Amino acid sequence: MTPPFRVSLTLLVVALALVPTAGGLVVDNADLTPAEVNLLFAMREYTLTYNEYADRLPGWVTGPFEDEKVNLYVTSPDGVLVIGITFYDRKIVQFDVKGCPDPIVTVTTDSATVEEVMVSDRPFDTFRAAMRNGTTTIEGNNFLGALRSGMVRFGLQVMDILRL
């Protein structure tokens, strides 16, 4: 990709990201590869669906991060894309491709898992499977984050034991 094309693409993405959506979701952007841009916009679109159903998810999953910031590290052949996710009232309200300062937890996964969750008919179960097989991890970045992420991991283990 030529540098002028990359700059144009980045400016287009930034301009589109600054346009507020009906759900109020804001995407703050940085210099991205085309694959990262595609993943980010797919996640942005999926987030609108997630936000519609966030209140139906178990409270022990969404509650610990209700009004917090989380960094998502997505590994791919292009490297690692760090996406800061800001939650408010159990919904995602902002993406920041530079990551969030002082996130409560860090979630690490690969781009294939992110895409699997987004296309799944049962995204929560797909996420659980990724946690089980180790392709997704959640780590607390401070004491409160460790407690809250531990609560989520414990809840997922209980669901697995009870075969829910």
Side-chain angles (χ1 to χ4, degrees):
M1 175 181 299
T2 64
F5 180 73
R6 188 174 176 124
V7 168
S8 298
L9 179 63
T10 301
L11 290 175
L12 175 64
V13 169
V14 169
L16 290 173
L18 294 175
V19 176
T21 63
L25 181 65
V26 176
V27 179
D28 188 9
N29 213 326
D31 189 24
L32 303 174
T33 67
E36 291 169 336
V37 170
N38 291 339
L39 179 63
L40 183 64
F41 274 96
M43 287 177 65
R44 180 176 181 258
E45 187 66 30
Y46 179 76
T47 296
L48 299 175
T49 301
Y50 166 85
N51 284 346
E52 289 179 29
Y53 294 97
D55 294 330
R56 298 180 194 173
L57 291 170
W60 56 266
V61 173
T62 58
F65 313 110
E66 183 172 356
D67 294 323
E68 298 289 351
K69 294 181 180 189
V70 172
N71 276 343
L72 172 63
Y73 284 67
V74 181
T75 60
S76 74
D78 294 329
V80 178
L81 174 62
V82 179
I83 302 171
I85 303 172
T86 302
F87 291 87
Y88 178 75
D89 195 26
R90 294 185 171 192
K91 295 178 173 55
I92 297 172
V93 294
Q94 182 173 342
F95 282 131
D96 185 341
V97 183
K98 295 170 276 195
C100 292
D102 301 320
I104 192 165
V105 298
T106 297
V107 178
T108 305
T109 192
D110 57 27
S111 58
T113 301
V114 171
E115 291 171 10
E116 285 175 23
V117 169
M118 289 189 298
V119 299
S120 175
D121 291 337
R122 301 184 60 130
F124 182 67
D125 291 337
T126 304
F127 174 79
R128 285 176 53 199
M131 289 289 296
R132 232 182 281 121
N133 69 26
T135 57
T136 299
T137 61
I138 300 174
E139 294 182 42
N141 293 332
N142 55 36
F143 181 70
L144 188 58
L147 287 175
R148 291 180 181 183
S149 61
M151 183 175 81
V152 170
R153 285 191 305 272
F154 177 75
L156 292 172
Q157 289 174 346
V158 168
M159 288 183 77
D160 289 342
I161 290 169
L162 298 176
R163 299 177 194 233
L164 299 175

